[in-house]
Amino acid sequence: MKIFDIKPLAGVLVLGSLLVACTKEYNYEDGYDKPLVEDTTGIGSIDTSLSRIDSSGFPDARKFPGLVSVVEPRLMDASVTIDLNYKLVSPQLRIASPPGNWFSTGFYAGPGELIKIVVPQGTEGMTVQVGAHTDNINGKMPQLRAGVIVTRKTVLPGVNYIRNIYGGPIYLIPTGPAPKKVTVTFSNVCKSPDFILGETTDADWKDAVRKSQVPVVELRGKRFIITMYRKVLVGLLNTFNAEAVMKKWDDVIEKDYNDWYGLSDNPADPIDQAPGTPHRFVLDIQISLGSGHSGYPCMAYLDWHSDFLDTAVISRGASWGPCHEIGHNYQMINTWSWGGADALTETSNNLFVFKIANRFGTKPPRIYDAEQNFVQPALDFAKKDSTGKTFVTVTDVFQRLVPFVQLFQKYGYGMMGYICREARHTEREIYIDVVKKDFFYVAASKYAKKDLYPFFRYWGINVSPTARGEVLGLGLPLLTEQIWLNDIR
């Protein structure tokens, strides 16, 4: 019995000695170490030293968008004021991609550098974005830059911080419009040599671009903003006037997109409200889809720079790429721009270059291109009078342009505005392709004051008996002129 009692006691003594032997002194509160630099902001125990740089992204940032030299000044307590009193478009605008609401600050964040942002009281929910190149290119082969190089963060009234290891232009994105202006202060940022129409002269801007080490530069108008790569832009500075270029793009967006679609800045009906923020186009070393794509922002490769900068090319309807992608944003795919086997996806977006060229008394040079030669084959198709004819047979997206241009040349380019206004004001969106064709046929006939059924039949754009009956009920005279044979060149 004595032996049995002693063994547990001995075990307890040994265990106690082991536990005592493992005891150490730690100075960590709550298991966390404290940063070496004292936080003077009062927002928490984080390292807010603006002098510390996270260089982990340097190898990729060097490829694109680029590093920012240490000789480029970092500004402290630099302010920008943005006007939040912009207009929202109606939900019934019914275009594919209205512009969003990025507000350019004119500041640039160096790669890995911590940016301090002071937001005024009463400004809740605003987002700060560092970087303009929003495409995720992970999985592309070969991959020319890091996959995702944009950082976003919601900021609150008071002091905020953000860092992007690749750097980039800095934008403010409000939750929505408000009848006020907001001044936000930034520290540890570089001044971006942006051109701002109405504020910057061409000569001063070009001088600033040549002296700057900031790799990404914007040209900003009222209705259009282009984000360009400084290294490419420097080689083109002697070929264009920035003021003329941005005036031209503002003019094109206003007259050949908004006005043509029946949109205006102060319409009688809010449904016809033109976008209150600029469209954006960003040029990148690599994008996620195609050589360019639509959206907000539209994106394209760096070799598109010159397409934006020649005002004569724009006026001739020869700036096809930019106008093509902006045209995608304006497509009314849920009303009249039909899909399916004879889809207008890559067709109706190209009509804008014809409108631009027409306004300047010319025609897009592409229609005369001997290599593409799309006009004559389309006319040959329209000439045939055969049973069961269908537009599906016209497989070339450029050939599909011809009937629309024929209508505009015959009845005036105002036909588009009428059709688009009707599309916005129709009670419901349309998701069935044959109903979209019906809608276009009825609206075009109303505008032309002719029953255009023969035109649609010869082009193989087949409409329903219901639409046919609706137009017959209008008592319009039947089209007798063979406008489907008109050469648009």
Side-chain angles (χ1 to χ4, degrees):
M1 293 296 292
K2 290 181 180 179
I3 295 174
F4 184 78
D5 290 335
I6 291 172
K7 284 183 178 179
L9 178 60
V12 170
L13 292 173
V14 171
L15 179 60
S17 65
L18 289 173
L19 291 173
V20 171
C22 292
T23 301
K24 292 186 178 180
E25 294 292 331
Y26 291 97
N27 294 321
Y28 301 155
E29 296 179 15
D30 302 323
Y32 294 96
D33 198 0
K34 300 297 182 185
L36 298 177
V37 179
E38 181 182 357
D39 172 33
T40 59
T41 64
I43 64 172
S45 300
I46 60 173
D47 186 351
T48 57
S49 172
L50 300 183
S51 63
R52 290 178 177 268
I53 299 175
D54 181 350
S55 61
S56 62
F58 277 18
D60 282 316
R62 182 178 286 108
K63 298 174 187 175
F64 191 86
L67 302 178
V68 182
S69 171
V70 293
V71 303
E72 184 70 33
R74 269 57 173 179
L75 307 179
M76 298 295 172
D77 298 320
S79 297
V80 63
T81 299
I82 61 173
D83 188 353
L84 299 182
N85 193 24
Y86 60 94
K87 292 183 178 180
L88 289 176
V89 296
S90 165
Q92 286 184 244
L93 182 63
R94 292 174 176 166
I95 65 174
S97 183
N101 60 338
W102 298 3
F103 281 81
S104 300
T105 64
F107 298 129
Y108 194 93
E113 298 180 19
L114 189 65
I115 306 303
K116 179 182 176 182
I117 308 161
V118 181
V119 178
Q121 294 299 317
T123 307
E124 285 78 19
M126 184 177 287
T127 297
V128 63
Q129 174 177 303
V130 180
H133 307 85
T134 53
D135 274 11
N136 182 346
I137 62 164
N138 280 317
K140 300 283 282 188
M141 294 295 290
Q143 189 169 318
L144 304 182
R145 64 160 170 84
V148 178
I149 60 174
V150 169
T151 298
R152 278 189 173 192
K153 180 181 179 180
T154 300
V155 290
L156 301 173
V159 178
N160 303 264
Y161 293 89
I162 191 170
R163 188 195 311 268
N164 183 336
I165 61 173
Y166 310 108
I170 303 172
Y171 302 96
L172 294 172
I173 308 172
T175 55
K180 64 179 180 179
K181 295 181 179 180
V182 173
T183 299
V184 180
T185 303
F186 295 85
S187 292
N188 203 33
V189 294
C190 302
K191 177 64 177 174
S192 179
D194 297 343
F195 177 84
I196 305 173
L197 186 62
E199 297 182 19
T200 318
T201 67
D202 178 72
D204 288 346
W205 172 70
K206 288 177 179 177
D207 184 58
V209 170
R210 291 187 177 101
K211 292 177 179 177
S212 177
Q213 298 297 313
V214 171
V216 177
V217 178
E218 288 191 340
L219 283 80
R220 292 190 248 156
K222 178 183 177 182
R223 303 181 190 275
F224 193 56
I225 297 176
I226 318 167
T227 304
M228 295 187 157
Y229 193 43
R230 180 185 165 276
K231 286 183 179 179
V232 176
L233 192 60
V234 166
L236 299 170
L237 289 179
N238 293 331
T239 66
F240 70 96
N241 179 286
E243 183 177 4
V245 166
M246 295 317 297
K247 281 184 176 179
K248 174 65 69 175
W249 278 114
D250 273 2
D251 181 60
V252 164
I253 296 296
E254 179 183 3
K255 295 177 180 176
D256 302 310
Y257 286 84
N258 291 344
D259 285 0
W260 197 32
Y261 259 38
L263 303 171
S264 62
D265 291 339
N266 297 291
D269 191 321
I271 291 175
D272 300 319
Q273 174 66 52
T277 53
H279 295 267
R280 286 183 176 270
F281 222 116
V282 175
L283 303 185
D284 199 335
I285 194 172
Q286 190 171 26
I287 63 175
S288 60
L289 179 67
S291 61
H293 68 71
S294 58
Y296 184 82
C298 294
M299 302 284 295
Y301 278 86
L302 298 180
D303 60 359
W304 282 37
H305 274 76
S306 58
D307 292 348
F308 292 91
L309 301 176
D310 190 326
T311 55
V313 168
I314 298 168
S315 298
R316 292 200 309 270
S319 185
W320 197 280
C323 294
H324 170 100
E325 301 304 347
I326 301 167
H328 271 308
N329 285 352
Y330 275 80
Q331 283 178 306
M332 301 189 78
I333 55 178
N334 290 332
T335 49
W336 66 265
S337 187
W338 60 83
D342 55 352
L344 302 181
T345 308
E346 296 296 331
T347 299
S348 60
N349 61 314
N350 287 323
L351 293 171
F352 296 92
V353 295
F354 289 88
K355 170 61 172 65
I356 295 167
N358 177 262
R359 185 162 64 89
F360 289 99
T362 186
K363 296 176 181 178
R366 179 166 283 198
I367 65 175
Y368 305 107
D369 190 324
E371 290 186 7
Q372 289 199 329
N373 187 31
F374 65 86
V375 177
Q376 192 56 52
L379 295 176
D380 293 341
F381 170 82
K383 188 186 301 182
K384 299 175 184 176
D385 186 6
S386 57
T387 305
K389 194 175 185 181
T390 173
F391 201 51
V392 173
T393 311
V394 184
T395 57
D396 184 274
V397 295
F398 296 111
Q399 291 181 28
R400 291 177 186 173
L401 286 165
V402 176
F404 297 95
V405 178
Q406 286 177 332
L407 288 174
F408 298 152
Q409 289 181 350
K410 173 62 180 177
Y411 297 107
Y413 277 79
M415 176 180 279
M416 177 68 95
Y418 176 81
I419 291 171
C420 292
R421 274 191 297 271
E422 291 288 296
R424 282 193 300 277
H425 289 266
T426 192
E427 186 176 358
R428 297 180 182 86
E429 292 185 338
I430 302 170
Y431 299 101
I432 301 172
D433 288 326
V434 69
V435 181
K436 295 177 185 180
K437 295 173 185 177
D438 286 352
F439 180 88
F440 191 88
Y441 159 58
V442 173
S445 294
K446 287 180 178 178
Y447 184 83
K449 295 181 172 55
K450 294 274 187 181
D451 182 350
L452 297 176
Y453 180 73
F455 179 85
F456 281 76
R457 184 175 71 83
Y458 271 90
W459 274 108
I461 302 173
N462 299 313
V463 298
S464 71
T466 302
R468 183 84 180 98
E470 182 178 348
V471 173
L472 287 172
L474 297 173
L476 299 174
L478 187 68
L479 176 70
T480 56
E481 183 182 352
Q482 295 180 326
I483 61 173
W484 54 88
L485 300 181
N486 291 354
D487 194 329
I488 65 171
R489 290 171 289 188

